[in-house]
Amino acid sequence: MLGMALAAATAASPAAWAQLSDDTVKIGVLTDMNGPASSATGAGSVTAAQMAVEDFGGKVLGKPVTVIIGDHQDKSDIGASIARRWYDTEQVDLIVDVPVSAVGLAVQNVANEKKKMFIAHSTGSADFHGKFCSPYAMQWVFDTRALAVGTAQAVVKRGGDSWFFITDDYAFGHALERDASAMIVKNGGKVVGSVKPPFATPDLSSFILQAQASKAKIIGIAGGPPNNMNEIKTAGEFGVLKGGQQMAGLLVLITDIHSLGLPAAQGLLLTTSFYWDMDEKTREWSKRYFAKMKQMPTMWQAGVYSSVMTYLNAVKETGTDEPLKVAAKMREKPVEDFFSRNGKLREDNLMVHDLILVQVKSPEESKYPWDYYKVLTTISGEDAFGPPDPACSLVKK
């Protein structure tokens, strides 16, 4: 009887009926190793993935878990080519990270074609889980709507009810301004104007002067590097904050603040999915990360760890790395860890979780290295991300 009971227990354990392709789980970190997104992703995202694998024990279902690295150089064709090779010939089960929306969407197409898993962390386009949504591709950290809407709604509620936008003149910037403007008006505020500098404009003085002359309470920075950092720096030089106006960055990362320095960035409002110094859980993980990288993690890098750990647990619980089964398991439980508060992977494969509105400290307020943010308020995931996009074919009509 004892032998039969042991046999039954063995047969019921995940390891007994495990089905791992190629007897290994391979995770590919596809990122920007040397370009404009490298400090916010790059080697730090690789380290975060490796930390997750190490903390998990290096194996799942008795088989090794490995991490490999690819540099897409911010080019869609290179990113798609690496993804195709990884899926086809290098037995990669999961691709993570992938900064720049155009590259992320190209990799998503390959994941669909190959029926393999992809979790995006630094791809911001809301179309990723909207009209281009996929059963194989997840968006874990943010989207443009959450940052724009979350910031606009929270700032208007705090009295910042008149806005002027400095908007990068391409699709990403336009989307940020559009989504933020709709939320400003909905909450009783007004947009008094905007200017649209071209990408990588060397001299932004005239645009800052127009924003300053608008007398808007809030100057919204709707764009990414390099314009956003140069706009914040130029505004500091022109005394915008000293004149009583505030700046709200719709996409700003802690590594951007570090490179700008507090004298230039102080007073800036921004929304983030993660801040290393929020509580004991964020500090414990971030200090381990800092020991390896000598800088604190961005929300994208912390999100890589969170998703890899969630993925490996789902593989363990399902006994397979078959993508749709693993994805279904990942949707079953809340995502609660040092990165995510009130997290839930939704039917459209967007991981909805709380965000925080923060203000950059002045040099006098900062007490130790990387002590950069004052947390002003929490923005619920439902408010920030909104309901699923009906354009997504995965959403029940």
Side-chain angles (χ1 to χ4, degrees), residues 323-344:
L324 296 184
K325 290 180 181 177
V326 173
K329 179 61 68 173
M330 291 173 72
R331 286 191 292 270
E332 282 182 11
K333 296 180 180 178
V335 182
E336 285 287 342
D337 55 22
F338 76 89
F339 168 78
S340 172
R341 303 292 187 278
N342 301 306
K344 173 70 177 172

Side-chain angles (χ1 to χ4, degrees), residues 343-354:
K344 173 70 177 172
L345 186 62
R346 219 163 53 180
E347 59 184 334
D348 55 357
N349 275 341
L350 173 68
M351 207 277 277
V352 174
H353 51 279
D354 294 349

Side-chain angles (χ1 to χ4, degrees), residues 166 204-213 231 234-235 238 240 247:
I166 305 176
L204 292 155
S205 302
S206 64
F207 302 103
I208 297 297
L209 287 171
Q210 289 178 73
Q212 194 171 23
E231 286 153 5
T234 305
F238 279 51
V240 169
M247 301 190 80

